[in-house]
Amino acid sequence: KMVPDSGAVFTFGKTKFAENMPSKFWFKRDIPISLSCGDEHTAITTGNNKLFMFGSNNWGQLGLGSKSTVNKPTCVKALKPEKVKFVACGRNHTLILTGGGQVYATGGNNEGQLGLGDTDERSAFHLISFFTSQHKIKQLSAGSNTSAALTEDGELFMWGDNSEGQIGLQNITNICVPHQVTIGKPISWISCGYYHSAFVTTEGELYTFGEPESGKLGLPPKLLVNHKVPQLVPGISEKVIQVACGGGHTVVLTEKAVYTFGLGQFGQLGLGTFTFETSEPKVIESIKDKKISHVCCGENHTALITESGLLYTFGDGRHGKLGLGMENFTNQFVPTLCSSFLKYIVHLVACGGCHMLVFATPRL
Amino acid sequence: DSDEIVTPVSQKCPKADSEKMCIEIVSLAFYPEAEVMCDENVEQVYVEYRFYDLPLSETETPVSLRKPRAGEEIYFHFSKVIDLDPVEQKERRQFLFTMLIGEDPEQGHLKFTVVSDPIEEEKKECQEVGYAYLELWPMLVSGRDILEQDLDIVGPEDQATPIGKLKVSLQAAAALQAIYKEMTEDLCS
Ligand SMILES: [Mg+2]
Ligand SMILES: [Mg+2]
């Protein structure tokens, strides 16, 4: 059998791996725990708490001490004394959390997105001294030039580019150290898109902020003047569980459905061939009968995992990033089942600028 | 070393550039003043082209998209790789050669057709709303692939006034040069 019972990581689109052909790999005595894609780079953390990186490296976003492109998963040896728990890739930078509760950053830093107090780029992981083990971080997220860390207690910290209010500050263009973003309620989920951000409260409300154009904040026009502060998205009646922000679109998982809004010119909203933009959250009707457990956005594409471990993708089909074929590609305007994973259980998916990674194990 | 990753040996090695071509229908826009913009019968459109032996089902965009509004572009990103294997696809290579020397029905052009696809199929019929032409010869001469080139779309009646633009990409320069070389060598020998 080709893939071991412990599964494989499948690569699609412009990954730099296997000459950008759809491919796969696995670890000899290890399994992936988290996957993340930046614009052109990819990161994987494993059960043995190792960090593997590959892809473009122009800003040092791979943290390997150089800026050369890496075309196969490479362990970041400098982090070996630390236990790497999970990873978040921004457009051209990377954040990791260690077992000791520390956050490290590497890569592009033109807006202070590394949280190191300056705007000098790094090609190796540097400790963000702001965070201590007391913060108990449970999620990291990174956008174009933005970074976010969310704690178990529901406290959200963000740093980097604020030119559009995407880290929730009113009057400054960027900040080089973490600052707390609060609406007075605990927060349970954060997603940084390219130029906008969104979070979910433990009560299940959705808030958005950042670049106001093309409906990606899901807010009525009269609220857009305040786009630099988190605002409650009306129009979603049930409890929100997750949110994912892409380049120009936003995908929301609730207890009952998947909602999308923003730009959908390539199909990334999954709302069919007549809705290329909406500022009003709309339910994807075609998957209403499916139980979705995870939503993920690349710049212009979207992936959904069902509770039973099936994968649906839609949006920009260029370079094969939707995982739907070897060489003939097209945009998908509704969620489309990745039939090559019918014999697998999909556990993790990550979408980047022009690529997608999937971790799946064979159905036994 | 437990760091090691395992990559299964890839089953397929990618075809040489001279043994395939790739056509992408990228996007479509109509000019605001074009008649088609106010034609209520045109609600959604798709684009097709013909290539020798390929069935239309493989060379038409798999979906129809809502007619673009004024100033809007609609995106198909429909790309197809056509096998031009020198042994198995000799006839396709011969066909491309006749296109290169302009002895095909479209006189050396790859013709794209924009088709109106009525939503209520019982009531109306598919109707051709425009054509766009891509000339192959310049590509042979320059040796350069075409990346996201805007082609004029002209209506069925008036071939002189563009009604919009169709953006296409064509990766075929290496194949066209190889085909031209081998066919002209055949002619001379
Ligand atoms: Mg893209
Ligand atoms: Mg048809």
Side-chain angles (χ1 to χ4, degrees):
Chain A
K1 198 162 66 179
M2 277 299 284
V3 171
D5 291 350
S6 56
V9 177
F10 297 79
T11 63
F12 302 99
K14 284 170 87 173
T15 59
K16 311 275 177 188
F17 179 68
E19 290 171 58
N20 298 324
M21 298 286 283
S23 188
K24 55 182 171 286
F25 62 86
W26 56 85
F27 300 95
K28 259 184 182 165
R29 277 176 296 276
D30 210 350
I31 51 157
I33 295 293
S34 79
L35 293 179
S36 187
C37 294
D39 202 43
E40 296 184 1
H41 73 296
T42 300
I44 304 154
T45 65
T46 70
N48 292 338
N49 299 112
K50 287 179 179 151
L51 175 68
F52 290 84
M53 307 285 298
F54 60 100
S56 289
N57 197 15
N58 313 42
W59 288 269
Q61 62 265 50
L62 303 187
L64 292 164
S66 83
K67 287 187 182 174
S68 27
T69 299
V70 170
N71 56 22
K72 67 170 203 279
T74 303
C75 187
V76 183
K77 295 253 161 62
L79 286 170
K80 250 186 173 171
E82 312 288 335
K83 288 186 181 303
V84 181
K85 286 183 74 179
F86 49 80
V87 57
C89 295
R91 192 176 191 167
N92 55 31
H93 71 296
T94 308
L95 307 171
I96 58 140
L97 179 76
T98 67
Q102 291 173 315
V103 181
Y104 289 78
T106 187
N109 194 23
N110 51 321
E111 302 292 340
Q113 63 265 38
L114 300 188
L116 301 171
D118 59 41
T119 55
D120 304 330
E121 65 188 36
R122 306 290 200 286
S123 58
F125 282 95
H126 281 63
L127 177 70
I128 303 180
S129 57
F130 177 88
F131 294 107
T132 67
S133 57
Q134 284 165 5
H135 283 98
K136 294 195 194 67
I137 289 162
K138 72 163 186 182
Q139 196 192 356
L140 296 171
S141 186
S144 243
N145 299 308
T146 57
S147 300
L150 179 65
T151 72
E152 298 280 359
D153 300 334
E155 292 187 321
L156 172 64
F157 299 88
M158 298 186 80
W159 59 100
D161 187 11
N162 190 56
S163 54
E164 299 284 348
Q166 62 268 56
I167 58 169
L169 289 167
Q170 275 286 18
N171 297 316
I172 71 176
T173 56
N174 70 319
I175 184 166
C176 306
V177 287
H179 87 97
Q180 190 171 356
V181 179
T182 178
I183 48 145
K185 298 175 189 175
I187 293 165
S188 59
W189 190 275
I190 173 70
S191 177
C192 298
Y194 275 60
Y195 295 97
H196 73 299
S197 309
F199 61 73
V200 180
T201 65
T202 52
E203 292 170 3
E205 294 171 328
L206 176 69
Y207 285 76
T208 58
F209 44 113
E211 194 180 67
E213 281 82 33
S214 63
K216 59 183 167 292
L217 299 185
L219 299 169
K222 65 176 194 299
L223 294 183
L224 292 181
V225 61
N226 279 328
H227 66 95
K228 289 191 168 189
V229 293
Q231 295 186 90
L232 177 69
V233 176
I236 299 178
S237 45
E238 65 269 17
K239 205 176 166 191
V240 175
I241 299 165
Q242 281 176 25
V243 62
C245 298
H249 72 301
T250 307
V251 178
V252 182
L253 176 64
T254 75
E255 283 178 328
K256 289 182 185 155
V258 176
Y259 290 77
T260 59
F261 46 87
L263 266 184
Q265 79 277 42
F266 308 120
Q268 64 268 49
L269 297 180
L271 298 173
T273 54
F274 274 70
T275 306
F276 301 140
E277 187 176 327
T278 175
S279 62
E280 186 194 334
K282 291 211 158 83
V283 171
I284 305 181
E285 296 291 340
S286 66
I287 46 145
K288 257 209 123 169
D289 58 326
K290 313 278 189 300
K291 279 199 157 59
I292 305 299
S293 59
H294 188 75
V295 298
C296 181
C297 288
E299 182 178 12
N300 297 318
H301 66 301
T302 309
L304 311 173
I305 303 177
T306 70
E307 278 186 1
S308 58
L310 295 176
L311 181 68
Y312 287 81
T313 58
F314 45 102
D316 189 333
R318 282 184 155 182
H319 309 290
K321 58 181 167 284
L322 299 182
L324 297 170
M326 283 292 281
E327 50 185 18
N328 300 326
F329 310 129
T330 190
N331 293 346
Q332 300 293 334
F333 290 81
V334 290
T336 304
L337 180 67
C338 282
S339 56
S340 54
F341 288 112
L342 280 171
K343 288 179 176 164
Y344 291 85
I345 297 171
V346 173
H347 301 277
L348 301 170
V349 64
C351 299
C354 249
H355 64 303
M356 176 173 78
L357 265 80
V358 176
F359 170 56
T361 53
R363 276 182 202 272
L364 302 173
Chain B
D1 182 8
S2 61
D3 282 352
E4 263 192 330
I5 68 148
V6 182
T7 314
V9 186
S10 73
Q11 314 84 324
K12 285 179 186 167
C13 68
K15 256 194 174 314
D17 284 347
S18 60
E19 297 181 8
K20 65 181 177 192
M21 62 190 279
C22 181
I23 303 176
E24 183 181 14
I25 297 169
V26 179
S27 64
L28 163 70
F30 290 128
Y31 295 131
E33 65 278 10
E35 214 173 292
V36 61
M37 289 300 280
C38 47
D39 183 348
E40 284 172 15
N41 291 318
V42 182
E43 300 156 297
Q44 55 177 1
V45 294
Y46 65 92
V47 183
E48 65 182 32
Y49 59 90
R50 284 172 198 276
F51 186 88
Y52 190 57
D53 61 326
L54 289 175
L56 258 182
S57 60
E58 289 184 29
T59 57
E60 63 182 17
T61 58
V63 292
S64 298
L65 300 181
R66 169 174 61 63
K67 180 170 76 177
R69 295 175 180 147
E72 189 184 43
E73 211 168 344
I74 56 172
Y75 296 87
F76 294 97
H77 289 171
F78 170 61
S79 67
K80 176 163 182 65
V81 176
I82 299 173
D83 183 12
L84 300 175
D85 186 279
V87 179
E88 288 163 32
Q89 303 296 348
K90 261 189 179 145
E91 291 177 351
R92 287 186 189 166
R93 292 176 84 88
Q94 182 63 47
F95 167 73
L96 277 168
F97 181 70
T98 57
M99 278 187 84
L100 278 174
I101 58 173
E103 296 198 343
D104 62 308
E106 298 300 337
Q107 295 164 16
H109 296 82
L110 191 58
K111 178 188 181 185
F112 298 90
T113 306
V114 181
V115 187
S116 161
D117 183 12
I119 292 165
E120 289 177 66
E121 287 179 17
E122 323 81 58
K123 287 194 185 162
K124 305 156 198 162
E125 290 196 342
C126 282
Q127 183 200 339
E128 297 184 355
V129 299
Y131 310 102
Y133 300 90
L134 177 63
E135 199 182 355
L136 291 193
W137 180 258
M139 201 171 186
L140 172 74
V141 177
S142 72
R144 279 197 295 272
D145 289 335
I146 280 163
L147 197 66
E148 304 213 351
Q149 182 171 315
D150 279 325
L151 306 177
D152 281 338
I153 302 170
V154 294
E157 275 98 46
D158 176 7
Q159 301 266 327
T161 316
I163 61 168
K165 54 185 186 163
L166 180 72
K167 193 173 282 176
V168 301
S169 293
L170 181 62
Q171 290 166 259
L176 292 181
Q177 291 193 323
I179 288 167
Y180 189 79
K181 190 162 176 270
E182 76 201 24
M183 299 292 175
T184 46
E185 273 167 3
D186 284 357
L187 288 179
C188 298
S189 59

